[in-house]
Amino acid sequence: MVTLQEAKNYLRVDHPEDDRLISDLLMTAKKLCMDVGRMSEEKFERNEDTTRTAMLFTVSYLYESRNTADFHKLTLSLRSILFAQREGII
């Protein structure tokens, strides 16, 4: 859904040294968004606009706070972003 290049542009990273890290963070972000949003793969893809936003937010948070990440805070933020999908409103 979110490519490595899109994530790098969002993060404003223009060097290849962190490509592996960012790729791993993208996989983590997808799994975390699916878990917090209580979404299947199909529902995740169907709600692309919201899930892309949530993924980019997650990758950015994890990349910028990689040494001091507060996963409780991140989970609460994702719940807010994904609320409609999580509660079956959309």
Side-chain angles (χ1 to χ4, degrees):
M1 178 173 291
V2 176
T3 66
L4 174 61
Q5 192 57 48
E6 289 172 312
K8 287 178 69 172
N9 287 340
Y10 186 79
L11 296 170
R12 298 178 191 228
V13 172
D14 59 357
H15 54 81
E17 288 84 12
D18 286 346
D19 285 3
R20 176 67 188 245
L21 171 63
I22 296 169
S23 293
D24 290 344
L25 292 177
L26 280 168
M27 288 188 297
T28 300
K30 181 176 180 179
K31 290 177 184 177
L32 188 57
C33 289
M34 288 176 69
D35 288 346
V36 170
R38 299 179 184 159
M39 290 182 269
S40 63
E41 186 80 32
E42 178 185 326
K43 190 172 181 183
F44 185 82
E45 291 174 11
R46 193 172 356 134
N47 296 298
E48 183 177 354
D49 292 339
T50 304
T51 54
R52 285 176 59 78
T53 300
M55 279 188 65
L56 288 170
F57 174 82
T58 303
V59 169
S60 174
Y61 181 82
L62 293 173
Y63 184 78
E64 297 296 329
S65 307
R66 63 192 116 170
N67 295 325
T68 59
D70 180 345
F71 290 96
H72 179 69
K73 181 179 177 180
L74 174 60
T75 301
L76 291 176
S77 297
L78 286 176
R79 282 183 184 169
S80 296
I81 294 169
L82 299 168
F83 177 77
Q85 287 77 20
R86 180 183 165 97
E87 299 301 320
I89 296 169
I90 294 178

